[in-house]
Amino acid sequence: MKFPGQRKSKHYFPVDRRDPLITQNPQLTELGQAYVVGIDQTLVDIEAHVDEAFLNRYGLSKGHSVVISDDVAERVYEELKANNMVVSEFAGGTVGNTMHNYSVLADSHSILLGVMSQEIRIGSYAYRYLCNTSSRVNLDYLQPVNGPVGRCFTFISECGERSFGINAGKMDHLDVAHIPEEVIKGASALVITAYLVRGADGTPMKEAAMAAVRYAREANVPVVLTLGTRFVIDENPQWWRDFISENVTVLAMNEDEGEALTGFADPLMAADKALDWADMVLCTAGPIGLYMASYTDEESKRETTHTLLPGQIPEFNMYEFSRPMARASCRTPMRIYSHISPYMGGPEKIKNTNGAGDGALSALLHDMVANAYHRMNVPNSAKHTSDFLTYSSLAQVCKYANRVSYEVLAQSSPRLSRGLPEKEDSLEEVYWER
């Protein structure tokens, strides 16, 4: 595993070369493995330029999102391909994006659970999904289905207006039999999205997702939930609060989803309120930047050397150099917060906002799994005097998540095509130099 930034002195864990002290210990000659498991609705994002006649022909509403049947989706796709109207085809799904980005950043394997078309033609959308997914993402556990995976069509009219056609295909047909209990219990984290728990009527996805969460909780594996969209939360906010309180360790959201869940429009206050139910919160807030909140033990708190920030919680980043912990692991729990503005002010030109939050979450997961990997292989290290959730401080994780989010915004794909530049491996030294 590649660690999230080079560390010096006591924070440095050698992964590129053999350490003499580690080599002498026979128990550590074979490093243990740490990995993350994610469950997703497998779908492909397809973007195409069309005219109004095309939209009318297929009953699509200009500027709106319409659910289309499998038959209509097939006919739409065939016409788009036959006339070279497709601009891009990207593997999608918030958890799929996160698993891919995690594996690119960590240069380590992750496991994706979901469905995949049993018959795949070269050049088809299912083929594109496989091509756009890192080879480090283990797809061996995908459930084969007779039919298409989900498809999200974005139709761009001549005037620039965007219309959407959504076809679920078989993406909600993952069943409990294809949830590998032992794999989940051996993971360092389980990642799910709110879409799974909602589940379409008559499909087994919700039951499968809940079984995975149950396995994770039985083995004390952190459950990471990304909310996905505020419309899902708006349907029943109290149900989600109860679900998070009972099952979730880490919550990822944007400011709109945070408002739907907590009632607070201010992202700092939304993150603070979410700590009533979760142990760590990641909240992206567009041009405002990124907030993180968590718990640490009073004995483990570390004051920041950065400028203290104003907000509805005065000087809220006072202890952002502390490492996050689960509230139950703290003798005397205290809340800690961090914030960072967009890296370099944000990209000069944002090509695509899709996937920025997924990128931030993948960085957080990288740091969490790196911590588990280090604890597994160097259990007596001073890094593990307490049961921390991350390898780095809250401020450093916030910085890393922000940097990855920038990289996604600066490209046209919601998935990273490469890791961060090597010259930026030491985020401490060069983060703000340019």
Side-chain angles (χ1 to χ4, degrees):
M1 166 177 284
K2 182 178 180 182
F3 267 55
Q6 292 177 351
R7 265 43 181 214
K8 295 182 178 180
S9 65
K10 67 178 181 180
H11 298 295
Y12 175 69
F13 177 56
V15 290
D16 296 323
R17 62 179 177 81
R18 287 290 182 187
D19 184 280
L21 296 179
I22 292 179
T23 307
Q24 290 172 13
N25 189 336
Q27 294 180 338
L28 299 175
T29 53
E30 292 189 10
L31 295 182
Q33 295 299 310
Y35 60 91
V36 61
V37 177
I39 308 176
D40 204 9
Q41 294 168 308
T42 316
L43 62 88
V44 177
D45 293 314
I46 303 168
E47 192 172 282
H49 287 296
V50 301
D51 55 26
E52 290 199 32
F54 182 96
L55 297 177
N56 294 333
R57 189 158 57 250
Y58 290 104
L60 299 164
S61 178
K62 186 175 180 180
H64 298 94
S65 179
V66 176
V67 175
I68 57 179
S69 66
D70 290 354
D71 178 61
V72 172
E74 284 297 331
R75 289 190 285 118
V76 165
Y77 188 74
E78 292 297 333
E79 181 171 344
L80 293 176
K81 295 294 284 187
N83 296 297
N84 295 317
M85 300 161 73
V86 175
V87 176
S88 63
E89 294 179 77
F90 290 119
T94 184
V95 176
N97 292 342
T98 302
M99 292 300 98
H100 168 91
N101 292 339
Y102 163 83
S103 285
V104 169
L105 293 170
D107 193 26
S108 186
H109 82 290
S110 57
I111 296 174
L112 181 65
L113 306 179
V115 303
M116 179 51 63
S117 303
Q118 190 155 8
E119 295 184 6
I120 300 176
R121 299 195 316 272
I122 292 177
S124 68
Y125 41 83
Y127 174 82
R128 295 293 177 196
Y129 188 96
L130 300 179
C131 289
N132 293 155
T133 301
S134 167
S135 60
R136 290 284 199 177
V137 180
N138 186 340
L139 303 176
D140 291 349
Y141 293 92
L142 290 177
Q143 174 184 332
V145 291
N146 291 317
V149 296
R151 288 160 288 184
C152 178
F153 294 94
T154 302
F155 304 108
I156 306 171
S157 304
E158 295 168 347
C159 63
E161 184 74 67
R162 290 174 178 251
S163 311
F164 302 92
I166 313 297
N167 171 245
K170 299 289 186 180
M171 70 181 186
D172 286 320
H173 286 248
L174 177 66
D175 59 48
V176 175
H178 282 83
I179 300 296
E181 180 176 352
E182 294 308 312
V183 169
I184 290 175
K185 289 185 173 181
S188 298
L190 169 69
V191 187
I192 62 171
T193 175
Y195 292 114
L196 306 181
V197 182
R198 182 180 63 169
D201 292 338
T203 61
M205 176 61 87
K206 180 178 180 178
E207 184 184 353
M210 294 303 290
V213 169
R214 186 171 66 253
Y215 297 152
R217 291 186 62 203
E218 288 172 358
N220 202 29
V221 172
V223 175
V224 181
L225 171 68
T226 176
L227 293 184
T229 175
R230 73 167 297 156
F231 300 111
V232 176
I233 310 304
D234 276 331
E235 292 173 0
N236 193 343
Q238 187 57 49
W239 187 92
W240 285 104
R241 294 166 194 150
D242 295 339
F243 175 81
I244 294 166
S245 181
E246 294 171 8
N247 301 291
V248 174
T249 307
V250 179
L251 178 66
M253 60 190 186
N254 63 27
E255 72 274 32
D256 290 335
E257 296 152 6
E259 183 180 10
L261 180 70
T262 68
F264 290 100
D266 180 79
L268 173 61
M269 295 308 295
D272 176 64
K273 182 61 178 177
L275 285 182
D276 288 353
W277 313 303
D279 295 309
M280 182 160 51
V281 180
L282 167 69
C283 183
T284 55
I288 297 174
L290 185 149
Y291 289 87
M292 290 193 69
S294 189
Y295 289 92
T296 199
D297 193 273
E298 185 80 31
E299 295 180 356
S300 302
K301 68 182 181 183
R302 293 177 60 212
E303 286 194 30
T304 185
T305 58
H306 296 162
T307 302
L308 296 178
L309 300 175
Q312 292 195 40
I313 302 174
E315 301 180 341
F316 63 87
N317 65 318
M318 172 75 78
Y319 297 106
E320 65 182 352
F321 279 13
S322 308
R323 289 169 67 194
M325 298 175 65
R327 178 169 41 183
S329 299
C330 303
R331 292 189 186 90
T332 309
M334 59 177 289
R335 297 189 179 198
I336 55 174
Y337 314 88
S338 188
H339 167 265
I340 195 163
S341 298
Y343 176 65
M344 291 172 53
E348 291 183 12
K349 182 179 181 182
I350 295 178
K351 299 178 181 178
N352 193 335
T353 58
N354 291 341
D358 303 336
L361 179 56
S362 66
L364 170 56
L365 285 171
H366 184 192
D367 207 278
M368 289 178 64
V369 179
N371 185 60
Y373 177 85
H374 189 271
R375 183 171 56 234
M376 189 182 301
N377 292 292
V378 193
N380 296 323
S381 168
K383 293 284 285 182
H384 308 298
T385 53
S386 295
D387 192 13
F388 296 106
L389 288 172
T390 65
Y391 185 79
S392 309
S393 70
L394 191 68
Q396 184 76 350
V397 176
C398 200
K399 184 185 296 186
Y400 184 34
N402 191 47
R403 178 64 184 88
V404 175
S405 182
Y406 170 92
E407 196 70 19
V408 173
L409 286 171
Q411 60 181 30
S412 58
S413 167
R415 296 190 171 192
L416 290 172
S417 56
R418 61 186 181 278
L420 298 186
E422 290 297 323
K423 68 179 181 179
E424 291 183 1
D425 271 358
S426 180
L427 295 174
E428 295 280 4
E429 293 179 358
V430 302
Y431 189 78
W432 295 112
E433 275 187 5
R434 289 192 293 166

